[in-house]
Structure formats: structure tokens, C-alpha cells
Amino acid sequence: MLRVRNLTKRFGGVAAMDDVTLDFPTGSLTAIIGPNGAGKSTFFNLISGALVPDSGRVLLDEADITGLSRAAIVRRGIGRAFQVASVFPTMSVAENLMAAVAAQRGQWDRLGSRFPPAGTRGRALEIAALLGLADKAEVEAANLSHGDQKLLDIALALALEPSVLLLDEPTAGMGPEERWLMIEKVQALWERQKLTLVFIEHDMDIVFRIAASIAVLCYGRVLAQGTPDEIRVDPAVIAAYLGTPEDELA
Amino acid sequence: MRAGSFSRDAAIGLAALLVLAVIPLAVHSPFFTDLIIRLSAMGLLATSLNLLVGATGLVSFGHGMFYGLGAYAFALLMQKTAMPLWEAALLSLVITSVVAAGVGAICIRLRTIYFAFVTLAMQMLLHSIVLSWVTLTGGDQGLRGGIPRRFIFGVDLADQRNLYWASAVVLILGLLAMRHITASPFGVSLRMVRDNETRAAFLGIEVWRAKLTVFVLAGSFAALGGIVASLFVSGAYPELVDWPLSGQAIFAIMLGGIGTFLGPLVGSAILLGLNDLVTRETEYYGLALGIIILLFALGFRRGVTDFVLRRLRPPRVLADVERR
Amino acid sequence: MDLNALGGCLSSAACLVTQGTSGLIVGLLLFMVAAGLTLIFGVLKIVNFAHGTFYMLGAYVALSAYQFTGSYVAAIAAGCLGMGIFGIAFERFLISRVYGTDVLMQLLICYAVVLIFDDVVKIVWGADFQSMGMPPAFQVPPLFIAGGVVPPFYLLLIGVALTIALLLGLALSVTRAGKIVRAAAQNPEMVSVLGINTTLLYALVFAIGGALAGLAGGLAAPVRSLTPGMGFSVLIESFIVTVIGGMGSILGALIAAVVLGLIRSFGTIGFPLFTDELIYVFMIAILVIKPTGLFGREIV
């Protein structure tokens, strides 16, 4: 269970995150939405250790992980994928994943043997298959299509065997059809791996169809958190953000 | 940089060693033996620098300081104590590693250009200390008096031929060790830090620790080159700690290609050849070398081995037209 | 290490004045070189490893101009303008080819220029130490301020350097050109999108940087001996100044340079054998506490 309590972060005089309190029950599928600049990516940065909050706490299964380093939080079980796919361009898909698996097994600093360590290749190909990348295992990451790079990014996060997966705009940069294919993959993954999944998304159709729970951020504050039905009729959310159902796609 | 197996690398190394071992038996050329000894020193320096630059993306301008430190530490230990050669060499490596850890701890946290510059400043600090501490180092005259007791496993390294063979062995072993580092999981982690440090951190890699470790390792191999240099010049001189050596190492890796493992060695060989050619033809070494560097930097731009590799690799087929 | 001597000096007004002004001119000369360096880095993100060569050539050109014309003013002008032009040529023909490439390539180009001109100076002026000597206008008895000895030339130097510092600071904050320069330092793409001629801008930045270094060389010529390779030590020290002061900050460079100059002049009394080392250690200390320098911002 991921719990965030009174999380605050200022840059200069601006509160990028202002007293945010949210709950993500184990195994939940939550979408974070909000207009640009609402603090969604900042939120991910604060949870994953890329930023240290000024005040507030982040609790993972009751353990306080506030202020831990990125690597330490990864070890605790939070994996992350990025808005712009963040992979290792000079390595193949398989190599990318083998490296991630090796890192997860605490083998990233092994000097005594050659890469890849024994057993990582099999696991890497398993993960690749989960995301539908098995047939592209030997392709260099830089040569993958944009969509495949996003998948590889998610695969890298999965290789860490996380209990919580943070996806920052998994469908960013994709056309309407590709978007649905991607989000269906994400949903299948969530069901199969029994993860706590939190994803940032701008496409309201997708959000309202897929998410079991939605949190709305605005100006660094939580506007509302609840089921899609609750959010749909929440007056504050409607006033601040949704407008009519037709104009989404921020 | 798809690594082969350890046995393949070892076989290549052994073959190279055999070839090198045999040459002076067939051809008597002091020029060649000197060249190989110098190549051993320079090659170790350049390849160790590439552990930082090419493998990890850490651009150090002052890497020569560990080369010079290794040379001075070794020469001093040999002159002032009664240690056998291998012990002095080992201790020099340890001393340099400790210094590298200290320097690294300060520099690693700095961003690219600051890192580059502060490593340079550290080297100038060492150079300055070497020049000032006349009672220990002989100041700008260097360590006179030669290196006594140059015996290793009963072999007298005062004999140039023996030094040649020893240098060749040290070079091959050093290269094999560095090769093993780049091909290990740690080496791949370095590559990840180079290509996408953020992602590497988000995979659980302690980036700071990785950088410090490779910095210390690179320093030790540079020191190994320095020890060879010290044996070659029978002592230690301030030129071994001065910046132009770092500059030469940088030029060597650029010339040879930072993208391949043997690039720096190739570049060192070319540079040594160029140096000899230039010093023979003109007294204005700086002018000539400067022009050569400009021609390279503005003209070829790519190191030799990078250039060759690009030609040899078949044209890549893109998985999709869409490319980042 | 002679702490007694140092203590003695610090408690004596005479010594304070003498050493203080001496340290001040060292610092201000360093500032002029460092100002150009930090400006070039701030706007172009180029570490001009050849900046010491501008200083050296400025001094030698001033020397020749002085020997030719007998006029010190002409000498300084020659050094300053000459290096401004040299800076433009350097930027147009060499540096502009390596914008955006990795820093090693830029370093190599600068290093090549250092090598070449160290030898050019040897060829044209000879490898021996040269000196300009004090121009007749300044061959007057030194001033005695609070018992301390202050050569009048030092006052000229201090005056010129502080004026330059003031003009530079004003130019950057008040004039339109200055604002463009600062904008370019923050956001190069935006500046070119706004229609500013970036080619001209970059050449201008190198012209100013070169001119400042050349001016410093010309001002240093009467009080320093000239030798090929004099550029390198100035380079290292001005880099230390820019790193301590913060890359891109003129004010930081001024403060750091003056502090360094004072450390050097008082340091030679207390620690004559390792004054250089003292300066390096000072830099390391600053970097450990604040990696971006006193006034620097995190420039990635």
C-alpha cells in the first residue's frame, strides 16, 4: 500500500506540490490527471526519490521511504517509466533488460564475471514477451519505434519486480489507435502482475474507461480522489478542469 | 562493443605477446624495443583514461596525475627503501588508488565541465607539490640516481631487452584486466551511466559508487603505466606529472577512437610515431603537433578505429521509420 | 612556514598596504583574464582553454608596439585591440566548427592553439625572458601610503581594472547588447529565434574576451617578465577564479580574483614554499562546500 501524506515541495516561491495526501491501495489502478503544470510529474519525482520533499511523508507498506535515494527506493519496490521513453540506446532490447534484471538481483557491480550474468537472459526474454517485444530482442534500442521504446521503458521498470509501478504518460506521443493498444497492454500487465499501478494520463476517454480510481491534481493540490463516477460529477473538478466531455486531449 | 569471452581475449593477448616476444630475437632494433616500452606506458595511460571517457562518459582533463604519481611513488620507494621491485610497484599502485579515491570523492559530484576542469586543477596541484617539495622529489631536476635493484623474478630490468619483455607482459595483462572490467556487469553498468544516468539510477545502480570505483581503477592502471615509464627513464621527472601528458593521452584516445577498446592503444602508437617523426624533423615540436591536432580535430574528427568500424559494419536496418 | 612573519605583516599598516596593493593588482589582472573566460563560458558554454594564449600574445604585442612607438598607450591599445581581433579570428575559423561537439574536441582545438602560439612566440620573439621595463611616465618615486610602498603604476592598473569591471557590469545589465548577451547565456535558442544575429554575438563575445585578456597582458608587461608559456599558469589560475566565483558570473570572478591575489601576496610571506598549493586547496575547499562556486548557477 502506497501512502502519501502532506507532501510539499517548493521551487523558489512556488509550491509545485502543496500538502498532497493520497492513498494507493495494494493492487489498485489509479490515474492521475490534471491540467499541465498541475504537478503530476513532480509527484512522481517526489515518490521515486528524484526529488526530496520539503515536508510530508511517503509510506510504502507502512515503511517511511521519504527522502531515500532513487536506487534505495527502487530496491524497496517502486518502478518507474517516463514520459519520454528512457532506455539505453546503444544496447539491444535484450541487453537493456538483462542489465535491468542484473541490477535487480544486485549484480550491477560484479567485476568477476562477464556480462550477462547467468540466468538473466531467460528472465529478460520473459519480460520482453510480457510487453510484446520478444521478437525485437536483438534490435538496438535506438532503432526501435517510438511506441516500442515506450514499451521497453515499461519493461525496464518491470524487470525490477516492483510492487508499485509509476507510468508517466504511457501513451504520450501516440496516435489514437496505438494509444488504446498501449493502454490495453498496460491493463493486462496490471492484472497479471498484481501491481499497484499509478499512471499519469491526459486522454480522458482512456482514463475513464480503464482507471479504477482517479486522483485530480491542480496547482500542486489534490482537487479530488475517487472512482470515475465520483470524479465525473465532482463540481470542483468540473469547474477547474473537465469542461464538457468532448473537449479533452489537453 | 559486444564483448567476446574471456578465453578469446586471453588467446588474442597471448598471441600478441608471443609475436612481441619473438621480434627482438629476429630483428635487433633498439628503436623498436624502446618504442614498445614507451607504448606500454602510454597505452596503459590512454586505455585507462578511456575507462573514464569512453566507457563511463567521465571526461577527465587531469588523468596524467595518476601516471606521474605512480612513477614518483615507485621511484621513491625503490630509491629510499630496500623493497623488492614487485613490492614497490604494488605499494605504488595502492598509494595511487588511495589518492584517486580522495580526488574522486571530491570531483565525482561535479557536473561535466566542472569535473573536467577540477581534475585538471588537481593535476596541477600535484605538479606544484612535486616541484616545491625539493627534498623529497628533487624539484624540477627530478629524481636523480636511477632505480636500484631492478630485479623481478631474478630478471634484471636494467637490460633493455628484459625491460622490453616485462613491459610487453605488463601491457597485455593490463589490457586484459581493463577489457575484463568493461565486459563485466560492472562495465555494462558504466555504459548505462554514460548513456542515461537517470535511468541507471532508476534501475537501482548507485551511480556515485560506480563512478568512484571506475575512477580509482582507472587511476591504478594509469599508475601502472607510470611505473613502466619510471623504469624506462630510470627515475621520475616533473614532465611525468605535467599537463602535456594528459593532453597527449586525450589526443591519443581521440585519434585512436574512444568507441572501441583498442582504440586508445592504436592512438597511442600513432601518437608516439608522430612524436618521433616531428622531433626528428623540426625543433618546433609544439607548432607541428598543434597543426596536426587541428587537422585531426577539424578534418577527420573521428578516431581511426571508430572510422574503420563504421565502414565494416553493415548498414543498419531500422525497425521502423519512426526513430527518436 | 613562517606564521610569525605573516602575523607581523598583518599587524603592520605599512606591510598591509604594500602587500595589499601588490595582491590587489595580481588579483585585478587575473580578474580581467577571468572575466573574458567566464563571459565566453557563460554565453557559449565553451571552456576556452586557449585563453592564456590571448593574455600572452597581448603582452608580447604590447611589448613590440612599445618598442616600436615608445608610447605605452599605444602598446596597451595594440595588445587590447590586437587580441580582440585575434579572438574574433579564433572564434570564426576554429571554435565555430566545434560548437555542440563534445568538450574533448573543443579542448583539443584550444590545446592545439596553445601549442602553436607558444612556438610562434618563440620564433618571433625568442625563447628568452623579455621585459618591457617601466614606461618613463611611471619611473617616478613610489608613493608612501601609511608607510607602505605603492608604485604609481599600480594605481593606474587598479584604476583601469576597476573601471573595466564597472563598465562591464554596467554594459551587461543596462545596455541592450548586454541584455542580449545575458539572454543568450540563459537561452541560446530563444535568442536566435528572436532574430538576433548569433554569429555576430558569438564573435563579439570572443572579441571582448580576447580584448580583456590582451589588455591584461599589456598592463602586466611592465611588471612581469615575458616568456613563452606564460599563458598556461595564468590560464589555470583564471580557471580557478571562474570556478570559485561561479562560471558565468562577472562579480564572482572579481571577488574570487581579488581574494586569490591577496592570498598569493600574503601567502608568500607566511607560506613561501607552498603558496600555489594554498590556492589550489582553497579552490578545492570551495568546491566541496558549494560545487557551483560562489555565485554560479547549475549549468548542466
Side-chain angles (χ1 to χ4, degrees), chain A residues 80 86 90 108 143 149 153, chain B residues 183 189 195-196 199 316 324:
Chain A
R80 181 176 175 181
S86 185
T90 60
W108 67 265
N143 295 336
Q149 281 185 357
D153 195 13
Chain B
S189 301
D195 288 341
N196 194 339
R199 219 337 158 193
R316 200 162 288 281
R324 208 152 49 115

Side-chain angles (χ1 to χ4, degrees), chain B residues 72-92:
Chain B
Y72 266 93
F74 176 71
L76 276 170
L77 285 171
M78 292 297 281
Q79 280 186 353
K80 313 271 186 190
T81 74
M83 275 186 208
L85 190 145
W86 67 268
E87 223 179 270
L90 199 60
L91 190 54
S92 308

Side-chain angles (χ1 to χ4, degrees), chain B residues 9-25:
Chain B
D9 291 342
I12 295 176
L14 194 60
L17 196 55
L18 286 172
V19 169
L20 280 175
V22 160
I23 292 180
L25 298 175

Side-chain angles (χ1 to χ4, degrees), chain A residues 27-51:
Chain A
S28 60
L29 177 57
T30 312
I32 307 230
I33 66 175
N36 280 324
K40 308 188 289 294
S41 285
T42 309
F43 182 63
F44 272 11
N45 281 333
L46 287 166
I47 301 178
S48 60
L51 283 175

Side-chain angles (χ1 to χ4, degrees), chain A residues 47-65:
Chain A
I47 301 178
S48 60
L51 283 175
V52 178
D54 294 332
S55 64
R57 299 201 298 156
V58 181
L59 300 148
L60 182 63
D61 297 329
E62 308 314 317
D64 193 339
I65 61 171

